[in-house]
């Protein structure tokens, strides 16, 4: 089974798994990352196969047609969103303590997947690149506003940037996108980390990129379809 949405689910599911398994800087090996990639791919394919068709085919178009009810996970059978095979695997690999924590992990990943799958394409679509601009993997990408939209009014009022710069985006995989937002507040991103080059100057971002970049999919090693962000 292969589809853009399966690839997107794999990326969103990899976020909590990467965070739970990120080793100390001295121990981040290619083998560790490769093993995690294979496990994530298995987990995502198992979960995706159990999802209702509406969630497998989620898009901005289907959201417009179905309305917010599409994203209400309480409408769907619990065992379709958290199949026992996935729960058992997460517990066996020490990525969850019990069925409840494993379910929370899967539900968080599904919410992130649906948010990404149903997001409308950005106005700056012509700026899109093939690989994540941080880890350089050829995987589904989402767009990151380098000057976060929530602080645009403050940015213009205080003269930090021109109006034109507010539309600048970077194309990032979901794990790297989430990592950027964990590194700094939206105001700090707008004032200090508003280009990919500035972000890559951070030691924590460099370490993250080195680890996640060792997973399969780096620079054309995978032909997985790319999502629309």
């Amino acid at each position: 089974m292969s589809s853009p949405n399966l690839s997107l689910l794999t990326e969103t599911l990899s976020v909590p798994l990467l965070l739970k398994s990120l080793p100390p800087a001295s121990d981040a090996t290619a083998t560790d990352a490769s093993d995690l990639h294979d496990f994530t791919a298995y987990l995502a394919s198992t979960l995706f196969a159990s999802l209702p068709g509406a969630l497998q085919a989620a898009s901005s178009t289907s959201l417009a047609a179905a309305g917010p009810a599409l994203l209400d996970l309480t409408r769907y059978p619990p065992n379709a969103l958290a199949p026992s095979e996935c729960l058992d695997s997460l517990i066996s690999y020490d990525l969850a303590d019990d069925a409840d924590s494993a379910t929370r992990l899967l539900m968080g990943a599904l919410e992130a997947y649906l948010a990404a799958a149903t997001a409308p394409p950005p106005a700056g679509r012509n700026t899109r690149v093939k690989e994540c601009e941080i880890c350089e993997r050829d995987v589904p990408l989402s767009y990151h506003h380098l000057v976060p939209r929530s602080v645009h009014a403050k940015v213009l009022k205080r003269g930090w940037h021109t109006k034109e710069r507010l539309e600048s985006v970077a194309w990032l995989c979901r794990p790297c996108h989430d990592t950027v937002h964990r590194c700094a507040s939206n105001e700090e991103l707008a004032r200090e980390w508003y280009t990919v080059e500035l972000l890559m100057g951070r030691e924590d971002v460099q370490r993250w990129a080195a680890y996640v970049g060792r997973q399969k999919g780096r620079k054309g090693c995978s032909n997985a379809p790319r999502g629309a962000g």
Side-chain angles (χ1 to χ4, degrees), residues 1 8 19 22 44 49 55 61 67 73 75 95-96 102 106 124 130 138 153 156 161 178 190 220 226 228:
M1 178 187 303
L8 185 59
L19 289 175
L22 183 65
L55 299 186
T61 302
L73 295 180
R75 297 175 58 242
L95 293 168
L106 293 179
K130 288 188 64 178
D138 186 357
L156 292 176
H161 300 296
D178 285 10
R226 294 181 291 277

Side-chain angles (χ1 to χ4, degrees), residues 6 61 69-70 81 113 117 168 215 217 222 225:
L6 172 56
T61 302
L70 176 69
L81 307 182
Y113 154 73
S168 298
Q215 290 202 78
S222 169

Side-chain angles (χ1 to χ4, degrees), residues 15-227:
V15 175
L17 301 185
L18 281 164
L19 289 175
K20 286 180 174 293
S21 60
L22 183 65
S26 59
D27 295 333
T29 67
T31 300
D32 293 335
S34 178
D35 288 347
L36 182 62
H37 175 275
D38 293 342
F39 175 73
T40 305
Y42 156 75
L43 200 67
S45 62
T46 303
L47 176 58
F48 192 80
S50 77
L51 293 178
L55 299 186
Q56 290 184 352
S59 67
S60 57
T61 302
S62 66
L63 177 60
L70 176 69
L71 307 181
D72 182 5
L73 295 180
T74 63
R75 297 175 58 242
Y76 305 100
N79 62 343
L81 307 182
S84 58
E85 302 97 310
C86 293
L87 301 181
D88 292 343
S89 295
L90 287 167
I91 295 169
S92 296
Y93 278 79
D94 293 327
L95 293 168
D97 294 329
D98 50 35
D100 287 341
S101 60
T103 298
R104 287 194 297 271
L105 187 153
L106 293 179
M107 294 298 284
L110 282 174
E111 289 172 356
Y113 154 73
L114 289 172
T118 59
R125 192 176 180 82
N126 62 322
T127 65
R128 185 163 185 164
V129 298
K130 288 188 64 178
E131 293 91 18
C132 172
E133 294 183 66
I134 287 182
C135 70
E136 298 184 337
R137 293 182 304 142
D138 186 357
V139 294
L141 303 177
S142 60
Y143 57 96
H144 163 64
H145 285 88
L146 289 162
V147 179
R149 287 174 295 179
S150 64
V151 296
H152 278 189
K154 179 181 286 188
V155 167
L156 292 176
K157 182 177 180 180
R158 300 192 178 181
W160 295 344
H161 300 296
T162 64
K163 186 175 181 180
E164 290 71 24
R165 180 173 283 280
L166 300 187
E167 302 306 316
S168 298
V169 300
W171 287 97
L172 308 178
C173 67
R174 176 50 54 184
C176 288
H177 197 162
D178 285 10
T179 294
V180 167
H181 283 285
R182 284 194 301 273
C183 287
S185 68
N186 283 347
E187 184 170 322
E188 289 170 334
L189 290 172
R191 294 188 65 179
E192 302 177 42
W193 314 107
Y194 51 86
T195 69
V196 173
E197 292 75 17
L198 287 170
L199 287 168
M200 290 302 296
R202 293 177 58 111
E203 184 177 352
D204 51 356
V205 174
Q206 291 174 13
R207 181 189 168 214
W208 170 264
Y211 178 63
V212 74
R214 291 188 176 104
Q215 290 202 78
K216 295 176 182 177
R218 185 177 177 86
K219 288 195 172 181
C221 291
S222 169
N223 292 319
R226 294 181 291 277

